[in-house]
Amino acid sequence: MTDAPLAALSARLPKLRLLTDAADLEHYGRDWTRRWTPAPLAIALPAEVEEVQAIVRWANEHGVAVVPSGGRTGLSGGAVAANGELVLSLERMNRVLAFDGVDRTLAVQAGMTLHAVHEVAKEHGLIYPVDFAARGSCSIGGNIATNAGGIRVIRYGNTREWIAGLTVVAGNGELLQLNRGLIKNSSGYDLRQLMIGSEGTLGIVVEATLRLTDAPPPSQVMLLALPNMDALMEVFSLFRARLSLQAFEFFTDVALRYVLAHGAQRAIEGDHPFYVVTEFDADERSQDAALAAFEMGMDRGWISDGVIAQSEAQAAALWRLREGITESLAPHKPYKNDISLRISALPVFLHEIQALLASEYPHFDVVWFGHIGDGNLHINVLRPDDLSDDDFISQCEHVTKLLAGTLQRHGGSISAEHGIGLVKRAYLGSTRSAAEIALMRGVKQVFDPNGLLNPGKLFV
Ligand code: FAD
Ligand code: MLT
Ligand code: ZN
């Protein structure tokens, strides 16, 4: 260990696992964005809260920036370390700490994967309802830091709703116990909620107390083919009024093309521009209601075709058409927009944005999908083979500026669920006012006086 600060860290924490091999620096220095060249100083893999505190104190003494790191499935560059930072990976801190059946809470270390949390909740006859395709790799700490959303938000809300308490190491190394599992707590500012969605810029989440709930009733999964974009919101209103929805997601024919090429099975024949995957509570009454809604949608010309899953395997196959999209696009290095609007603003906005994208990206494949039932659209632009990464990104940045302007006029957000990270920091001002951003910077200064926690993320 030649680097003096690293040698001091090793001397202070002789048991700390530190990695400096080139392959490790590359592996831990990037996330799913793949846009920046990883260049961290080293990777620290603490096993205990006290080690995390000592690392943060060491970082302050030596002026070393720290990038908190979970599963690195992030899509905004939040966990990227490209400037000599120390990556602080929580991956070894992945244990269950306590289950409480009376409080219906599960306390875990922050490095546990979302999937592992689901499994433990299931063993106790309950569920942790936040869910999305990265479940096998993403960590609870990362979910909290991004306030992750996913495919069940329409029923259960975002990660924010499910955090009963947090243990956090602040920017000066101090340990904070926030909210301690209470349901009611009107004793001043809720610092737990401030941490949620702070993208590793205010503190390092080391432990979380998660709320669990009852499993939903048995459900049915339906795939619908729609003839045009206006039908999307009509079908949403139709189904939401008649069924108890657990999910309402959409994708386009372009998305379908990529996911089929990636191994998913076609479930509806023919060419249709839009598709919906919806899941709803399935009792006898809702079976009839679903059929009635489907027939009404067909009569009104909003639905062209549909299929209802007859088995768990079929339900999984329908979900794969939606959940497999991200992986199927990854080889094409997509430029990702993750935007949200009030549902009432969507019909007008969708037309404006469709016209904008058609005129600005006439020759690119633009893939739309997402959580339309939450007002959240994922717009992915795919890089043509003959364009360099730099030229492609600069063209996309130009369009994102226009998109941000349109969003601002409609009162939307430039990031619905992936966070700002590095990717969207230039556009924060389209969603937050100058006064809000100044307050956010002030909060950062209080929690992290030396600016060492994930610098350069969230703010330009
Ligand atoms: P990382 O990528 O490791 O980090 C994300 C941010 O959190 C970074 O800023 C990092 O510094 C910070 N961070 C990580 N751990 C901590 C910690 N312990 N304390 C403080 N800060 C920390 N997101 C959704 O919201 N909805 C989806 O439907 C969805 N689907 C996805 C599907 C796929 C296939 C993929 C690849 C990603 C998807 N994502 C989705 C994005 C991503 O999975 C989420 O943002 C997830 O919450 C990131 O968790 P992570 O552990 O991988 O975090
Ligand atoms: C999704 O909804 O599938 C995710 O947010 C991932 C993505 O946007 O690619
Ligand atoms: Zn999403």
Side-chain angles (χ1 to χ4, degrees):
M1 191 109 10
T2 50
D3 187 283
L6 276 187
L9 182 59
S10 284
R12 185 177 305 185
L13 294 172
K15 286 198 194 139
L16 176 66
R17 193 175 294 173
L18 267 179
L19 309 176
T20 50
D21 280 358
D24 291 323
L25 299 183
E26 176 160 355
H27 176 69
Y28 287 92
R30 63 186 191 183
D31 66 3
W32 261 61
T33 49
R34 301 288 194 270
R35 200 192 288 180
W36 290 271
T37 307
L41 171 69
I43 318 302
L45 294 144
E48 291 165 12
V49 171
E50 292 73 19
E51 282 187 331
V52 177
Q53 290 182 271
I55 292 168
V56 172
R57 291 198 176 111
W58 160 87
N60 276 277
E61 286 161 24
H62 294 271
V64 176
V66 174
V67 176
S69 181
R72 289 174 310 287
T73 63
L75 301 169
S76 294
V80 167
N83 292 303
E85 305 94 330
L86 181 84
V87 173
L88 194 161
S89 165
L90 279 296
E91 85 180 18
R92 291 177 70 212
M93 294 178 60
N94 60 4
R95 280 186 299 113
V96 172
L97 298 169
F99 167 73
D100 192 312
V102 176
D103 291 330
R104 299 182 125 197
T105 55
L106 182 69
V108 300
Q109 292 183 309
M112 216 169 150
T113 65
L114 178 58
H115 176 70
V117 165
H118 288 163
E119 291 299 303
V120 177
K122 209 193 293 173
E123 283 165 21
H124 293 290
L126 295 167
I127 63 159
Y128 176 69
V130 176
D131 194 18
F132 50 92
R135 58 183 77 80
S137 318
C138 69
S139 69
I140 284 296
N143 295 171
I144 292 166
T146 55
N147 186 26
I151 57 175
R152 307 280 167 195
V153 170
I154 198 167
R155 166 73 60 95
Y156 297 105
N158 298 297
T159 297
R160 191 178 289 294
E161 314 293 333
W162 297 94
I163 306 303
L166 287 180
T167 305
V168 173
V169 175
N172 60 0
E174 206 167 314
L175 197 64
L176 305 173
Q177 303 280 356
L178 306 177
N179 197 58
R180 299 166 199 270
L182 298 173
I183 294 170
K184 300 188 79 170
N185 185 3
S186 290
S187 61
Y189 306 142
D190 191 339
L191 302 180
R192 157 198 55 162
Q193 290 296 348
L194 195 53
M195 278 303 154
I196 301 170
S198 65
E199 302 188 39
T201 62
L202 299 183
I204 296 165
V205 176
V206 285
E207 295 172 2
T209 302
L210 312 174
R211 285 191 211 293
L212 305 182
T213 190
D214 291 314
S219 59
Q220 281 198 317
V221 178
M222 209 182 218
L223 177 71
L224 303 169
L226 276 49
N228 53 54
M229 199 169 63
D230 288 331
L232 265 181
M233 298 320 290
E234 301 288 4
V235 172
F236 177 55
S237 301
L238 186 66
F239 275 59
R240 187 170 58 167
R242 287 162 181 78
L243 296 163
S244 189
L245 297 179
Q246 294 186 22
F248 194 91
E249 304 272 316
F250 92 109
F251 53 93
T252 61
D253 50 351
V254 190
L256 180 68
R257 186 152 42 83
Y258 283 96
V259 82
L260 291 178
H262 205 66
Q265 295 298 310
R266 182 182 281 281
I268 292 179
E269 292 305 323
D271 292 331
H272 309 276
F274 290 90
Y275 295 86
V276 162
V277 174
T278 181
E279 184 162 348
F280 45 85
D281 293 353
D283 50 26
E284 248 173 56
R285 194 194 60 82
S286 63
Q287 297 244 12
D288 295 345
L291 205 60
F294 179 75
E295 279 169 3
M296 194 180 291
M298 291 282 279
D299 287 348
R300 298 198 176 168
W302 299 331
I303 299 176
S304 318
D305 203 349
V307 35
I308 193 154
Q310 302 296 336
S311 65
E312 272 190 31
Q314 236 177 26
L318 296 187
W319 264 115
R320 185 170 175 198
L321 292 167
R322 162 65 185 91
E323 288 212 291
I325 295 170
T326 304
E327 277 208 53
S328 74
L329 301 182
H332 306 277
K333 287 198 159 184
Y335 180 95
K336 284 175 174 288
N337 290 116
D338 160 43
I339 61 176
S340 73
L341 285 114
R342 285 170 294 114
I343 290 167
S344 58
L346 273 176
V348 174
F349 175 83
L350 285 172
H351 278 283
E352 267 187 52
I353 219 66
Q354 194 182 39
L356 174 79
L357 299 179
S359 73
E360 295 294 332
Y361 290 130
H363 307 303
F364 294 2
D365 258 359
V366 180
V367 186
W368 295 40
F369 60 100
H371 320 283
I372 192 80
D374 312 322
N376 179 184
L377 304 177
H378 296 311
I379 299 169
N380 284 213
V381 189
L382 307 191
R383 184 175 65 81
D385 290 339
D386 58 353
L387 206 60
S388 72
D389 280 350
D390 287 351
D391 287 346
F392 173 62
I393 286 168
S394 85
Q395 286 196 40
C396 293
E397 293 291 341
H398 164 71
V399 181
T400 296
K401 261 187 221 125
L402 303 175
L403 175 65
T406 313
L407 273 169
Q408 195 165 19
R409 273 190 287 108
H410 288 273
S413 175
I414 195 73
S415 176
E417 58 173 12
H418 296 162
I420 296 291
L422 289 172
V423 172
K424 282 164 267 172
R425 56 193 186 148
Y427 310 102
L428 185 63
S430 66
T431 300
R432 300 303 198 99
S433 68
E436 274 184 291
I437 294 173
L439 286 169
M440 283 163 70
R441 283 187 190 279
V443 170
K444 163 91 175 147
Q445 173 71 26
V446 170
F447 277 90
D448 177 26
N450 294 323
L452 295 173
L453 293 183
N454 229 358
K457 314 292 168 56
L458 190 49
F459 307 107
V460 179

